[in-house]
Amino acid sequence: SAGEGNSGFYVRGGAPDQNLVLLDDAVVYNTGHLFGFFSVFNSDAIKSTTLIKGGMPANYGGRLSSVVDVSMKDGNAKEYHAEGGIGLIASRLTLEGPIVKDKSSFMLSARRTYIDLITKPFLKGETRGSGYYFYDLNLKANYIIGRKDRIYLSGYFGRDVFKFNSSEGTFKANIPWGNATGTIRWNHQFNDKLFVNTTLVYNDYKFEFKGSQNDFNVQFNSGIRDLNGKVDFDYYTSFNHHFKFGLNYTYHMFTPSQVSGSSGDIEFDPENALKKYAHEAGLYLLDVFDPAPWLRVNAGIRYSYFGQVGPYTQYNIDDNGNRIDSTDFASGRLVKSYGGLEPRLNLRFTLNPLTSIKASVSRSYQYIHLVSNNGTTLPTDIWVPSTALVRPQEAWQYSLGVFRNFFDNALETSIEVYYKDMQHQIEYRSGYTPTSFRDPELDFVFGRGRAYGAEFFINKTKGKFSG
C-alpha cells in the first residue's frame, strides 16, 4: 500500500514508522536507497537478520508493529578474505581478516551505485551535472580482552545524493539524505550462567535540500539525532528459566523542519524554534521457561517513559489557529511526560515434533512518529516526538497460529491470524501545505486504527531450490 518513492514496509496494517529496524543495536530511520529499490543493508556485510512481527519480547520497545534486528559480520579472526561484485547499477567490495590472529578481527564493506556515471553521456547542455547515486560503508571490529570480556565496535554510513540542473540552467538543486550510526558494545561473562552487554550508540539521520535560482538560495533540513546507552543481562538458571532484564536510555534531538536562505546581500537564517528535545527510557524483565515438555512460555513486562524537555516555546492557539500567548521552557526543563506498562506474553504449544500452535498478546507504546502527508508528492515526511499536543501511539496485538513442517523439516508452513487495535495514529490534516514558519504539530490530526487478517506462509529450506 505504499506510493511512489516510498521506502517503507508495512506489517499487519501498521505504518512504516511502526517497525523497529536495528543494525547492531542502532536504530535505522531510513531503510531504502534509490527511493526504496535498494535496501540500505549490504548483504555482504550481514551475518544474521531476525524478523518479529507477532508479539515482540519485552526487551524490544518503542514501536507497535515489528522488529527487524540485523547483525553485521564480526570478521574472520584467522585469515584475510575479500569478495565483491560488479553489477549494472552498483558494485561492492568487502574485506575481512584478523587484526591480531585469534584475538581480534575486522570487516569493511563498501558499495556505490554509478547511475550518475551511466547517465552522464546523455546529459547535454544545461542539464550537465544532473544525476543520482548512493553509497554506503559498513565497518565492524572486535577484540577479545580476556577469557570473559570482548569489545565490539561497528558503524554504518550511507547517503543518497540527487542533483538537478534545469534546462535553462537557472535552477539547481542538491538533495542528500541518509543515516550514520556508531555502536560500541562490551560483553562480559560473570560466570557460566550470567552475561551482560553494555552498549553505547550514536545515530544521525539527515534530509537536506539545497536549491538556487539566479541569486536566490534556499536550504531546508530535517532529521533526528540520538545518543543511546543500554545494559542487558542474561541469566540462565539451573531450574530451567532464562531471565533477561535490563534498561536503556535515549536522548533525542529532532529537527522537524529548518529553513535558511539568501537573496543577493540579504540573508535569511531565523532562530529555529521548531527543534525539539526528549528523553526516552525503558526498563524490562522477561522469563523464558518450559513448564511442561509441550509448552514454552516467554512472559515479560516493560515500563517505558518519554519526556519532552526544553528549550521549547509552547503556544496557546485559538479556534482560528492564531497564537494568543506562549510559555517558554528553559533548556532541560520538562515540558510533558508519558509512560506506561507494556505486558508481553508468547506461548508455544508443541503437539508433536512437526506441529505446534503459537499464541501471543502484547501491549506497546510508540513515542516518536513519522508523519506523512498523503496529499502531496513533496518530501514532507518528518520524524516528530510526542509532546503536549501529540500523544504516544498505543497498540494491543493478538495473534494465533498453527505451524507445521513437512518432508524432514525441509518445508515449513504456517497459518496465523491476528488482530491489532491502535490508538492516536497521526497524519497531516487534509489540505496541509508545508511551511517552515509554523510548528507542524499544529497541523496534525489523530485517529484510531484497527487491523486484522490471516497470513499463509510456505518456506522451503533445503535442497537445490529454496524460497
Side-chain angles (χ1 to χ4, degrees):
S1 58
E4 297 86 351
N6 190 324
S7 62
F9 61 97
Y10 297 75
V11 176
R12 295 184 172 179
D17 67 322
Q18 294 177 0
N19 306 303
L20 179 62
V21 184
L22 301 171
L23 179 62
D24 277 1
D25 295 305
V27 176
V28 179
Y29 287 103
N30 177 54
T31 59
H33 288 304
L34 190 56
F35 311 105
F37 285 100
F38 279 81
S39 169
V40 298
F41 301 114
N42 183 353
S43 59
D44 289 348
I46 301 305
K47 178 176 69 174
S48 64
T49 303
T50 301
L51 169 66
I52 305 171
K53 58 183 177 176
M56 64 182 73
N59 54 310
Y60 295 106
R63 298 295 189 274
L64 302 187
S65 291
S66 75
V67 177
V68 180
D69 197 345
V70 181
S71 297
M72 284 193 278
K73 292 178 180 177
D74 295 329
N76 193 310
K78 295 186 178 296
E79 55 187 6
Y80 294 98
H81 285 278
E83 63 176 319
I86 299 176
L88 295 175
I89 296 179
S91 293
R92 64 195 191 277
L93 176 65
T94 300
L95 306 174
E96 61 178 323
I99 301 174
V100 177
K101 192 171 182 180
D102 294 326
K103 194 167 187 179
S104 63
S105 62
F106 76 94
M107 186 279 300
L108 177 65
S109 184
R111 178 176 60 164
R112 190 194 190 278
T113 184
Y114 29 79
I115 300 174
D116 55 329
L117 302 179
I118 295 174
T119 58
K120 188 175 182 179
F122 303 100
L123 299 175
K124 306 294 184 181
E126 299 294 348
T127 59
R128 187 183 304 274
S130 298
Y132 166 86
Y133 64 93
F134 74 78
Y135 61 92
D136 48 32
L137 181 69
N138 295 78
L139 171 67
K140 190 166 186 179
N142 70 91
Y143 188 81
I144 300 174
I145 301 175
R147 190 172 62 88
K148 295 185 177 182
D149 295 278
R150 192 164 185 167
I151 295 289
Y152 297 86
L153 178 67
S154 60
Y156 167 84
F157 184 83
R159 281 290 183 270
D160 291 68
V161 180
F162 176 70
K163 296 182 179 180
F164 175 75
N165 290 333
S166 69
S167 57
E168 293 83 14
T170 59
F171 176 75
K172 297 181 180 180
N174 183 22
I175 310 175
W177 69 95
N179 303 286
T181 71
T183 303
I184 182 168
R185 178 167 63 92
W186 169 36
N187 174 263
H188 176 68
Q189 178 183 349
F190 292 98
N191 51 53
D192 292 340
K193 298 182 182 299
L194 182 61
F195 307 83
V196 62
N197 283 288
T198 304
T199 310
L200 298 175
V201 180
Y202 170 82
N203 195 344
D204 188 25
Y205 168 70
K206 289 182 180 178
F207 174 89
E208 294 182 85
F209 173 89
K210 301 175 182 178
S212 63
Q213 186 166 11
N214 299 324
D215 63 346
F216 177 75
N217 301 282
V218 65
Q219 181 172 339
F220 172 84
N221 298 278
S222 68
I224 179 172
R225 181 178 297 170
D226 295 339
L227 300 174
N228 172 253
K230 65 174 189 169
V231 181
D232 300 284
F233 291 86
D234 283 85
Y235 180 46
Y236 296 85
T237 71
S238 56
F239 47 92
N240 194 30
H241 285 256
H242 174 200
F243 291 103
K244 290 178 69 74
F245 54 95
L247 57 91
N248 63 74
Y249 163 78
T250 305
Y251 181 62
H252 296 288
M253 292 160 278
F254 298 86
T255 307
S257 57
Q258 180 172 283
V259 66
S260 60
S262 65
S263 180
D265 297 332
I266 302 174
E267 292 190 1
F268 175 72
D269 190 10
E271 288 292 326
N272 193 325
L274 305 181
K275 286 188 175 180
K276 296 185 177 69
Y277 307 87
H279 303 286
E280 184 174 2
L283 178 69
Y284 73 90
L285 169 66
L286 69 86
D287 181 14
V288 181
F289 62 100
D290 299 326
W294 48 269
L295 176 61
R296 167 157 290 190
V297 177
N298 184 325
I301 187 73
R302 181 183 184 90
Y303 178 80
S304 58
Y305 168 85
F306 188 89
Q308 182 198 359
V309 296
Y312 177 69
T313 301
Q314 184 178 9
Y315 296 99
N316 292 329
I317 308 296
D318 62 18
D319 293 337
N320 297 319
N322 301 313
R323 297 175 179 176
I324 49 181
D325 63 6
S326 64
T327 304
D328 290 324
F329 293 86
S331 178
R333 182 184 170 189
L334 183 64
V335 179
K336 181 68 175 180
S337 64
Y338 298 96
L341 289 173
E342 304 176 32
R344 313 279 176 84
L345 178 63
N346 292 274
L347 304 174
R348 186 191 69 194
F349 303 89
T350 302
L351 304 183
N352 57 55
L354 298 176
T355 309
S356 64
I357 296 175
K358 298 179 183 179
S360 71
V361 57
S362 64
R363 168 76 161 169
S364 301
Y365 288 94
Q366 179 168 328
Y367 299 103
I368 66 174
H369 326 280
L370 182 67
V371 187
S372 301
N373 185 3
N374 295 325
T376 179
T377 58
L378 297 174
T380 53
D381 292 4
I382 56 173
W383 285 95
V384 298
S386 297
T387 66
L389 295 180
V390 180
R391 296 187 60 185
Q393 300 181 62
E394 305 172 23
W396 280 98
Q397 182 175 185
Y398 312 88
S399 65
L400 178 66
V402 178
F403 298 75
R404 172 69 191 238
N405 291 359
F406 297 92
F407 308 119
D408 193 25
N409 296 318
L411 196 67
E412 301 173 351
T413 66
S414 68
I415 300 174
E416 191 169 11
V417 295
Y418 63 88
Y419 179 83
K420 187 190 298 181
D421 185 13
M422 299 173 285
Q423 304 286 342
H424 313 131
Q425 305 300 282
I426 305 174
E427 68 176 19
Y428 290 107
R429 63 173 171 81
S430 179
Y432 167 71
T433 301
T435 175
S436 294
F437 308 104
R438 174 181 167 91
D439 196 321
E441 69 180 26
L442 300 176
D443 293 295
F444 296 161
V445 292
F446 308 93
R448 181 180 178 185
R450 286 179 296 273
Y452 52 89
E455 295 179 351
F456 304 87
F457 183 65
I458 299 175
N459 181 26
K460 189 174 184 295
T461 60
K462 297 181 181 179
K464 295 182 178 181
F465 178 80
S466 61

